Structures are given as C-alpha cells and as structure tokens.
C-alpha cells in the first residue's frame, strides 16, 4: 500500500470513529442544551477576535454536530458547515430544524470540498479539536485560501500543539511522552478508551491522529498566501484533556498546578491578501 493510500485508509477508519462519537455527543455535549435554552456557546475570545459576522458568509470546516455553526447563525452569519461524518451532519440538520435556524450542512471531507462547493466566503472558521484529524496541512491551508474572497478572514481556536506531546502519567504530573514534531505516520490509539465528552462511553473504534507543531500550522497557511494577523495562547482548554484538570463551569478546563506555565490553547487569525494587493504582487 502506498503512503497516500495508508493515510486515506486511516482517515476512513476515523470516519467510523466520528460517526460513533457524533451519536454520543448529541446527548453529551452541554452546548446542545445551551443552544436550546438560547444561551451563548461561543467564547468571548472568539467573538471578540472575529468581530461582527452579521450578513457575512461563514464556512465552518469540521463542524461536527453543528453546535458552533448554529451559534454563528444566531449571530447573523450566513453559515455553511462541512464535516465528513454523515451521522454528524444528520445530527446538525436535526438540531438546525429543531432550533428553526438557517444553516446549510454539507457532508464531505475537507479534501473533497472543491467537488461540492464552488462559492467563496468572507470567513473560514474551524475550532476545538480539528488539526489532529488532518493528514495534509498544505492542502488544508490552500483550500482555506481558495475558499476565501480577497480580504477574507480565516480564524481558528484549537488545543495547543504542545499537548500532543504531554501526558499525565502520574496524577497531577505532566511528562513528555510523544513527539512534538510532525511524524510521517499518524499515531494510532486503540479502541476501548473513553469518549472525551462522555467518559462512560468506551469507544468501539481506534483513532489515527496526525501531529502538527505550531511552525507547521503557521507555515502551511503562509505558504498558501495567508497573512497572519494574530496568534494568541491561553492557559485554559475546552475539554478535559488531563484527569487533573479542573473546571468551574463544566466547559473550560485548567491545570491549577501548572497555572500560567503551560499553553493549553491558541487562537489564530489570518487574512487573504486583498484584490488591490494581489494585483501588484510580482509574478
Ligand atoms: C472534535 S470535532 C470538531 C469540533 C467541533 N468544533 C465541536 O466541538 O463541535 C472534529 C470533527 O472533524 C471531523 N473530521 C475529521 N476529519 C475530517 C475530514 N477529513 N474532513 C471533514 N471533517 C473531518 C469529524 O467528523 C469531527 O466532526
């Protein structure tokens, strides 16, 4: 099997995992009920860093069960969510209909997006647990640039790449266990581990996860011609990555013993060059 075929087969196996998790998450994500109650589920950081989305066309990559997509719709964006899990897309559509919101959901791998969508967007957004599922970051960077209008904005909120390397092997103590830098093969984690949103659910599928460092993320976007506007790091995270993490609100988790010492999350905003700028760029 060629390396490319091996990566595709790992991705296909991940699709089965995400179909399983989407079913679990409809019952386990607190965001589903918060949306039903009309509450805000987007974080004040992303709301501030993206700014006013009213009337803007927003493409949400790896939208999962559509919770964030629908939250952006409530803020007035014209939203399209894409995800390769048919179960996740069906959940997102059910939630949209239940909430009576306008949103389009498309079942596709990000790598096949050009075969199903042709329009351009003002904002491309992706967040919370997306990068490790991507086998080719250059192709990802290029499709973000291709789907944006000139001057369009890409925004992401994601767990910090340093967390790929760290595990809590003894209670409360983080150690370097995995490589930080990109590996040619995905790491394989066997079935049987707990779901991150419902620890009582034991997963019936393995996961295959690609490791990307900060340099690789930024370089992929810059190689695609995106201009970095902000890159911020935070010491809180959107899920319980380590058992000793604590949370006051059940949505944001911290490592009290490492407060202010370890970055847990980053946000990034990058802009596609505007039409005027592109027309004077030397060939
Ligand atoms: C952790 S979830 C994204 C988080 C989401 N923002 C949330 O918390 O609701 C990761 C999503 O990526 C999707 N995914 C993984 N690989 C993909 C690919 N190649 N193309 C499209 N979606 C993919 C999965 O189906 C899953 O829904």
């Amino acid at each position: 099997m060629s390396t490319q075929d091996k990566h595709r087969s790992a991705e296909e196996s991940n699709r089965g995992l995400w179909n399983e998790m989407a079913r679990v998450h409809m019952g386990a994500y607190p965001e589903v009920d918060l949306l039903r109650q009309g509450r805000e589920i987007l974080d004040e950081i992303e709301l501030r860093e993206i700014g006013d989305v009213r009337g803007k066309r927003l493409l949400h990559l790896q939208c999962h069960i559509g919770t964030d997509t629908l939250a952006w719709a409530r803020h007035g964006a014209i939203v399209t969510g894409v995800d390769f899990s048919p179960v996740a897309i069906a959940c997102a559509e059910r939630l949209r209909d239940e909430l009576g919101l306008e949103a389009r959901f498309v079942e596709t791998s990000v790598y096949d997006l050009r075969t199903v969508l042709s329009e351009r967007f003002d904002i491309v957004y992706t967040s919370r647990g997306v990068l490790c599922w991507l086998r080719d970051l250059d192709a990802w960077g290029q499709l973000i640039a291709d789907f944006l209008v000139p001057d369009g904005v890409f925004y992401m909120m994601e767990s910090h790449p340093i967390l790929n390397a760290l595990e809590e092997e003894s209670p409360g103590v983080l150690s370097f266990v995995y490589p930080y830098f990109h590996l040619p093969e995905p790491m394989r984690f066997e079935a049987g581990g707990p779901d991150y949103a419902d620890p009582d659910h034991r997963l019936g599928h393995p996961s295959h996860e690609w490791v990307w460092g900060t340099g690789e993320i930024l370089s992929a976007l810059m190689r695609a011609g995106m201009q970095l506007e902000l890159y911020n790091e935070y010491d809180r995270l959107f899920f319980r990555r380590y058992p000793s993490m604590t949370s006051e609100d059940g949505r944001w988790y911290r490592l009290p013993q490492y407060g202010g010492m370890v970055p847990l999350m980053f946000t990034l905003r990058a802009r596609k060059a505007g039409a005027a700028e592109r027309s004077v760029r030397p060939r």
Side-chain angles (χ1 to χ4, degrees):
M1 210 194 259
S2 71
T3 306
Q4 223 183 28
D5 286 344
K6 271 199 244 166
H7 284 237
R8 290 221 164 91
S9 139
E11 189 176 83
E12 208 37 53
S13 165
N14 284 343
R15 194 195 303 256
L17 172 70
W18 278 108
N19 281 334
E20 177 187 353
M21 290 208 279
R23 277 187 200 98
V24 175
H25 293 172
M26 267 311 267
Y29 263 31
E31 286 82 0
V32 173
D33 272 338
L34 291 171
L35 278 175
R36 286 180 176 132
Q37 294 158 16
R39 307 252 303 271
E40 181 61 80
I41 63 162
L42 297 167
D43 187 65
E44 52 89 13
I45 296 172
E46 52 191 341
L47 289 167
R48 175 167 34 84
E49 291 181 341
I50 295 188
D52 190 358
V53 298
R54 272 174 299 173
K56 296 199 175 147
R57 293 156 296 176
L58 183 150
L59 174 65
H60 183 182
L61 300 178
Q62 295 173 259
C63 68
H64 197 40
I65 55 175
T67 44
D68 291 343
T69 328
L70 294 169
W72 286 116
R74 277 218 176 121
H75 279 272
I78 303 157
V79 297
T80 301
V82 303
D83 199 284
F84 78 165
S85 155
V87 178
I89 290 294
C91 290
E93 289 176 335
R94 266 209 322 275
L95 196 55
R96 171 198 64 196
D97 295 346
E98 182 190 329
L99 298 173
L101 291 166
E102 288 278 323
R104 172 174 57 164
F105 289 104
V106 182
E107 178 197 324
T108 178
S109 164
V110 293
Y111 298 113
D112 298 328
L113 202 51
R114 288 186 191 85
T115 62
V116 288
L117 283 186
S118 54
E119 69 260 48
R120 299 290 174 262
F121 295 83
D122 304 299
I123 300 169
V124 174
Y125 167 84
T126 195
S127 72
R128 300 180 175 87
V130 287
L131 287 173
C132 65
W133 310 106
L134 298 178
R135 58 180 154 83
D136 182 342
L137 225 49
D138 272 336
W140 170 81
Q142 193 57 58
L143 82 87
I144 288 166
D146 288 352
F147 275 95
L148 281 170
V149 295
D151 237 11
V153 160
F154 170 64
Y155 184 86
M156 76 183 297
M157 172 182 267
E158 179 59 306
S159 55
H160 198 283
I162 194 68
L163 302 191
N164 295 328
L166 293 168
E167 279 302 349
E168 186 174 340
E169 287 204 307
S170 55
V173 181
L174 296 189
S175 344
F176 282 92
V177 172
Y178 303 114
Y180 169 82
F181 294 104
H182 180 64
L183 297 169
E185 300 296 327
M187 299 214 285
R188 183 183 158 102
F189 300 93
E190 294 308 328
D195 179 273
Y196 64 84
D198 176 3
D200 292 335
H201 179 91
R202 295 279 151 182
L203 294 164
H205 294 79
S207 78
H208 302 83
E209 301 182 25
W210 287 269
V211 175
W212 302 106
T214 301
E216 285 144 345
I217 301 162
L218 297 179
S219 297
L221 291 167
M222 288 192 272
R223 273 194 290 271
M226 299 294 296
Q227 298 168 348
L228 188 65
E229 288 191 337
L230 66 82
Y231 179 84
N232 289 323
E233 295 170 313
Y234 300 90
D235 70 348
R236 62 175 160 121
L237 188 60
F238 40 84
F239 73 113
R240 176 171 271 127
R241 167 73 176 83
Y242 303 109
S244 66
M245 283 182 135
T246 58
S247 173
E248 280 175 15
D249 59 4
R251 298 193 63 219
W252 290 101
Y253 295 86
R254 293 176 190 272
L255 278 168
Q257 70 277 33
Y258 291 106
M261 294 169 77
V262 187
L264 298 177
M265 180 175 91
F266 74 90
T267 57
L268 178 164
R269 192 177 70 216
R271 194 174 292 271
K272 180 168 169 171
E277 207 172 332
R278 274 143 48 100
S279 65
V280 295
R281 187 180 282 173
R283 284 171 180 263

